Amino acid sequence: MFKKILIANRGEIACRVIQTAKRMGIATVAVYSDADARAPFVKMADEAVHIGPAAAAESYLLADKIIAACKETGAEAVHPGYGFLSERASFVEALAKENIVFIGPPANAIAAMGDKIESKKLAAEAGVNTVPGSGGAIADTAEALEWANKIGYPVMMKASAGGGGKGMRLAWNDQDVKDGFEATQREGKNSFGDERVFIEKFIEDPRHIEIQILGDQHGNIVYLNERECSIQRRHQKVVEEAPSPFVTPEMRKAMGEQCVALSRAVNYFSAGTVELIVSGADPTGESFYFLEMNTRLQVEHPVTEAITGVDLVEQMIRVAAGEKLPFTQDDIGIDGWAIENRVYAEDPYRGFLPSIGRLVHYRPPVEGWTDDGAENGRRGVDGVRVDDGVFEGGEVSMFYDPMIAKLVTWGETRDEAADKQVQALDAFRIEGLGHNVDFLSAIMQHPRFRSGELTTGFIAEEYPEGFMGAPLDKQLRRVLAAVGGVIATADADRARRIEGQLAADLYAPGDWTVRIGEREEGSTSHEVRLEEDAPTVDEEPITIEMQYTPGETMVDVALYENGADEDSAPVETYTFQLKPTRTGYAVTTRGATHTLRILQTRVAHLASHMIEKTPPDLSKLLICPMPGLLVKLHVSEGEEVQPGQPLATVEAMKMENILRAEKQATVSKVNAAEGDSLAVDEIILELE
C-alpha cells in the first residue's frame, strides 16, 4: 500500500479523498492555487504545495506542476478527483514516466472513452445500445443541417471532448442549428481545446441513468447498480438518487452487463461510470442507449456508497496499489434509498445565474462528513451527510465550479430520503451570496418528483417561467401567521423590559395582524391572538411548540393536532430562518422566503394608507445578469430588434449565455464593447 499520495484537486472532493486516505494510514499532500490558500482541504492534508495563480489553466491544469509537487514531497501516487486532469490520458502517461501511480483507470481507457465519437464506435462493437447519430465530426453548419435533417429533429449538437454540461446545444429546427453550431464549436475549443462537434438523435421523454463500474487490475469488474440523474439544468446534474425509481431488476441486470462488457473492451480498472440515455416513454425499459463513459469518480458517488456500503475512494486506492476487489457481483445489493442535492452558488430567482462572493454565514444542517470507516458511516448523521470544502468567511471564486456543498440523505424508502432532504435544506444557513437551497427544497416537495415520473426536461417543464419559490399551502400559512404573532409578542416583551425605555405598567400586546406576502396584491392577512391555552389564527386555535429568544435567526417549530396530549407526535416539524425587516420578518422555509408584515391589530387598518414603492421599469435596458466576458455583440446602435433576437453573448464559468430581446425595440445606446469584462447588473445596451 502507498505511504503517501497527492490529491490533484481542490474543494469538497479533495477533502473527501484526504479523509479516506488518512483512515487508511496514508499521508496526504494537497496542491493549491492562490485562491485556495486558506481552503479547508489545504489544512486537512499533511503537506501542502502552492502551484500557481487562481486560474485553473495556470495551476490545477498544469501536469508538470503536479509532478513537481510529487517529487518535492515524495508522493507515490496521485488521486485526481473529478474535473481538471482526471480524464487526461497524457497526464497518466506523464506520471508513469516518473514512476508515479495514477489512482484511476489506464491511459488507453481514458483516451478511448474521452473521445465521444470513438467511444460510441467502441460501445457499438462491444454490443452496447447506441443512439443514432452522425458517427463522426461535422465540418460546418451546412453539414450539420444535412445530418440534422437525415436523423430527424430534435437533435443534440455535442462537442466531442465536452463534459459537465459544456459544449452541448439542443436543436428543434434548422434555425436552432444555424444559431448554435458555431457556439458549440467555440465552447468545445475554449473549454477543452477541441472544436470537433457531432450530432445525434435527441431522445424524447429522456431519463439520464448511469451505471457505476468498479474493476481491478486482475480482470474483475462489477457494476454497483444505477443512479438516476434526470433532474438537470442546462445538462448539469442537480439531483441524483440511487436506485432509480424507473429501473426494474431485469433492466438493471441488462444495463449492468452491457456496461461491464464495454469496460472489458478497453481493459478498464478503477471506478468509472457509464452514462445512459433511457426513453421514459418505453415501459419495457429496453430503450436505453450509451451516452458516454466518465473515466473517473463521479460527483454523485456518495449515493452509491450509501446504498451499497462500498467506499469507492478506498477501492480506487486499493485497486491502484494492485489489490483485488474484495467482493463479486453477487455481493452487491441495494439497502434503502439515497438522494444527493448539489448546493450551488447560483440564484434561481434570477435565472440560475452564478452568484460568486463571500460566504458571510455558512452553517450546514450537520457537521461536515468525516470518514470513520463504518459502512453506515457513509450515510452521515442519522441519514444526513454534507460533503463540502468551504468555510464561513471564505469566498466562492469565479475561477472554479460554483458548488458550495453536496447534501446527501439516506432512508429506508425514497419518500423518507426526500423528507430528510426537505428538513436538512431548511436548516442550511447560507448568507452573502445567492444559492439554490429554496429551489432544491421545492423539487424535493414537488408531486412529480415524488411520483418518480422524471425526465431531463423536468426543470424546464415544471418551471417554464423561472423559479419563484415553492408554493405556500394552507397549513404552512397558518403556522407562519401563528409564529409571526409569537415572535412579535416576544420582541415586544423584551422591548418593554429595557429599563427607562417604557413605562413600567405597559405589557406586551397579544393581538396581531400578520400579512403574508410582500405586496398588497397576492398577500393574505390573518388575525392572530395569543390565548392562554394556544394561539388562534383567524379565530381558529392552532397548537405549536417552539423556543424563541429575541435576536435568534433560526427557530424550530412543531405543529400538533389541537387537543393532542403530551406524548403525541407532531403533525409536522419546520425550521424557520428569520431575518428582521422594517415591519416584521422575512421567513425562509420549505423552499421559499415569505415576507411577514406584523402590526398590532388596533393599528393595522392604518397600513392601507401607506404608499408602496413601485419597482423601476428595467425593460428598456439590457442588463448583464452575471459577472462575465462580453464575447459577442449581435446588434449596433440604431438597429431595430425583434422579440427573441440575440443581443449579446456573455461568457461566465466557461459557458456562453445568449441574452435576447424581450420585445420589439430600437437600440438607442451601446455601453459595452466585445472583450469587456462586465459586472453583474452592468448595462450593456439601452433600448427605446
Side-chain angles (χ1 to χ4, degrees):
M1 182 50 65
F2 308 116
K3 294 182 179 178
K4 183 185 291 187
I5 66 173
L6 181 145
I7 295 86
N9 217 297
R10 62 177 299 280
E12 63 86 15
I13 189 57
C15 294
R16 164 76 180 90
V17 176
I18 289 169
Q19 290 185 80
T20 295
K22 285 192 172 185
R23 175 175 56 76
M24 296 174 68
I26 303 171
T28 56
V29 179
V31 292
Y32 66 94
S33 69
D34 289 347
D36 286 331
R38 297 172 58 224
F41 76 92
V42 176
K43 298 177 182 178
M44 288 176 62
D46 297 300
E47 300 174 66
V49 178
H50 177 253
I51 55 170
E58 301 176 57
S59 51
Y60 296 107
L61 285 170
L62 294 179
D64 57 344
K65 290 195 174 184
I66 304 298
I67 292 171
C70 288
K71 291 180 177 179
E72 178 185 335
T73 58
E76 306 158 79
V78 171
H79 195 300
Y82 48 73
F84 295 141
L85 298 171
S86 63
E87 294 181 283
R88 189 168 294 184
S90 60
F91 178 54
V92 182
E93 294 166 347
L95 288 173
K97 289 180 181 178
E98 302 294 339
N99 295 316
I100 301 169
V101 177
F102 180 72
I103 302 176
N108 67 290
I110 294 175
M113 292 294 104
D115 187 317
K116 285 186 172 62
I117 295 173
E118 292 304 315
S119 66
K120 279 182 170 52
K121 294 178 181 177
L122 284 168
E125 291 170 3
V128 181
N129 303 341
T130 56
V131 179
S134 62
I138 292 171
D140 52 31
T141 301
E143 187 181 351
L145 286 167
E146 289 179 17
W147 271 107
N149 283 279
K150 181 178 179 181
I151 296 166
Y153 290 107
V155 298
M156 182 70 79
M157 299 175 286
K158 295 183 177 181
S160 180
K166 298 183 178 71
M168 301 174 75
R169 286 285 194 287
L170 176 60
W172 293 91
N173 50 49
D174 285 0
Q175 189 59 48
D176 288 345
V177 174
K178 293 175 183 177
D179 290 344
F181 181 77
E182 291 182 1
T184 307
Q185 283 186 316
R186 284 196 300 270
E187 282 188 5
K189 184 175 182 179
N190 294 340
S191 296
F192 310 103
D194 186 343
E195 65 178 8
R196 290 178 302 158
V197 172
F198 67 98
I199 290 181
E200 66 182 16
K201 179 70 176 175
F202 178 72
I203 306 300
E204 296 189 71
D205 293 332
R207 300 180 80 113
H208 186 124
I209 295 173
E210 58 189 31
I211 300 290
Q212 176 68 58
I213 293 294
L214 185 63
D216 61 26
Q217 299 186 54
H218 304 276
N220 302 304
I221 304 177
V222 298
Y223 61 91
L224 284 78
N225 308 311
E226 79 285 349
R227 294 183 290 257
E228 173 89 51
C229 307
S230 295
I231 297 185
Q232 305 176 3
R233 190 188 63 76
R234 292 183 67 174
H235 313 294
Q236 183 74 42
K237 298 166 190 172
V238 177
V239 181
E240 299 103 349
E241 60 181 306
S244 164
F246 183 72
V247 174
T248 63
E250 295 77 18
M251 189 178 178
R252 181 176 297 118
K253 186 173 186 292
M255 286 178 165
E257 289 177 350
Q258 283 197 19
C259 294
V260 167
L262 174 61
S263 302
R264 289 196 188 283
V266 292
N267 299 313
Y268 199 90
F269 58 81
S270 193
T273 295
V274 180
E275 301 198 349
L276 305 169
I277 191 83
V278 181
S279 173
D282 182 1
T284 68
E286 296 176 357
S287 300
F288 61 86
Y289 308 95
F290 173 78
L291 191 62
E292 63 180 335
M293 185 173 188
N294 292 316
T295 53
R296 54 170 168 80
L297 190 68
Q298 292 280 91
V299 176
E300 58 271 21
H301 74 274
V303 294
T304 296
E305 294 182 331
I307 66 164
T308 63
V310 175
D311 186 325
L312 288 169
V313 172
E314 177 181 348
Q315 292 305 318
M316 289 181 74
I317 295 172
R318 293 192 180 281
V319 166
E323 296 185 15
K324 291 184 178 181
L325 293 181
F327 42 75
T328 66
Q329 190 64 57
D330 291 339
D331 299 318
I332 305 300
I334 298 176
D335 181 13
W337 213 288
I339 298 174
E340 175 181 297
N341 274 306
R342 301 189 187 189
V343 179
Y344 279 121
E346 62 183 14
D347 191 345
Y349 296 99
R350 298 187 64 181
F352 300 93
L353 296 171
S355 180
I356 58 177
R358 191 166 303 282
L359 282 165
V360 178
H361 292 293
Y362 177 72
R363 291 285 188 278
V366 297
E367 290 296 320
W369 179 78
T370 55
D371 187 358
D372 63 1
E375 184 174 312
N376 288 342
R378 283 182 277 285
R379 296 172 180 168
V381 180
D382 296 326
V384 180
R385 168 177 166 179
V386 174
D387 285 19
D388 60 16
V390 299
F391 64 99
E392 188 168 273
E395 190 169 340
V396 176
S397 170
M398 66 178 288
F399 296 101
Y400 314 118
D401 186 89
M403 188 164 65
I404 298 172
K406 300 186 306 194
L407 177 64
V408 184
T409 57
W410 177 90
E412 294 286 350
T413 65
R414 186 170 184 266
D415 277 342
E416 183 183 341
D419 288 343
K420 287 184 178 180
Q421 281 283 343
V422 174
Q423 294 285 350
L425 288 164
D426 273 356
F428 224 125
R429 188 184 180 203
I430 302 171
E431 293 183 18
L433 41 71
H435 57 79
N436 66 338
V437 167
D438 282 358
F439 180 64
L440 298 175
S441 179
I443 291 176
M444 293 296 99
Q445 300 171 67
H446 201 289
R448 181 174 163 189
F449 174 79
R450 292 300 180 113
S451 74
E453 298 296 322
L454 311 177
T455 71
T456 55
F458 177 92
I459 291 176
E461 292 160 9
E462 298 302 323
Y463 303 98
E465 303 300 322
F467 179 68
M468 304 303 293
L472 178 60
D473 61 36
K474 182 179 179 181
Q475 176 177 284
L476 180 53
R477 188 181 298 278
R478 283 172 48 78
V479 174
L480 281 168
V483 169
V486 171
I487 288 175
T489 299
D491 288 345
D493 187 58
R494 182 188 187 213
R496 79 179 180 85
R497 293 172 185 273
I498 299 175
E499 186 176 358
Q501 298 297 307
L502 297 171
D505 59 347
L506 289 181
Y507 61 92
D511 294 350
W512 302 95
T513 296
V514 181
R515 193 183 86 187
I516 303 175
E518 194 162 349
R519 302 184 63 80
E520 288 289 353
E521 60 272 14
S523 66
T524 58
S525 186
H526 303 275
E527 302 302 318
V528 180
R529 292 177 61 88
L530 268 60
E531 306 287 356
E532 186 174 336
D533 296 330
T536 64
V537 177
D538 299 329
E539 299 184 351
E540 292 184 11
I542 182 170
T543 304
I544 60 172
E545 182 178 84
M546 57 181 285
Q547 297 291 329
Y548 170 75
T549 301
E552 285 187 320
T553 58
M554 193 173 290
V555 60
D556 293 323
V557 180
L559 172 68
Y560 292 86
E561 290 279 3
N562 291 323
D565 58 41
E566 293 182 358
D567 297 326
S568 298
V571 174
E572 189 63 87
T573 58
Y574 304 90
T575 297
F576 289 175
Q577 295 192 36
L578 311 174
K579 184 175 289 186
T581 62
R582 187 171 58 85
T583 57
Y585 283 89
V587 181
T588 302
T589 190
R590 297 297 166 96
T593 298
H594 308 283
T595 301
L596 271 60
R597 187 174 185 182
I598 310 170
L599 300 170
Q600 291 183 42
T601 298
R602 65 185 180 85
V603 298
H605 66 282
L606 299 174
S608 61
H609 298 290
M610 299 298 292
I611 298 174
E612 294 202 33
K613 185 177 180 180
T614 303
D617 179 15
L618 303 178
S619 63
K620 295 183 178 181
L621 305 173
L622 179 66
I623 298 173
C624 187
M626 78 215 89
L629 179 71
L630 182 57
V631 176
K632 188 172 182 60
L633 202 58
H634 299 278
V635 295
S636 56
E637 199 167 301
E639 186 174 339
E640 185 174 311
V641 298
Q642 302 298 323
Q645 180 178 336
L647 301 180
T649 299
V650 177
E651 181 185 298
M653 298 288 183
K654 296 185 179 180
M655 294 284 284
E656 289 191 2
N657 303 273
I658 299 175
L659 308 182
R660 301 178 183 273
E662 295 183 2
K663 60 184 180 181
Q664 183 177 353
T666 302
V667 179
S668 60
K669 187 178 181 182
V670 177
N671 296 321
E674 292 181 2
D676 284 357
S677 292
L678 304 174
V680 64
D681 291 337
E682 187 169 339
I683 298 172
I684 303 173
L685 302 172
E686 295 180 25
L687 306 167
E688 62 181 16

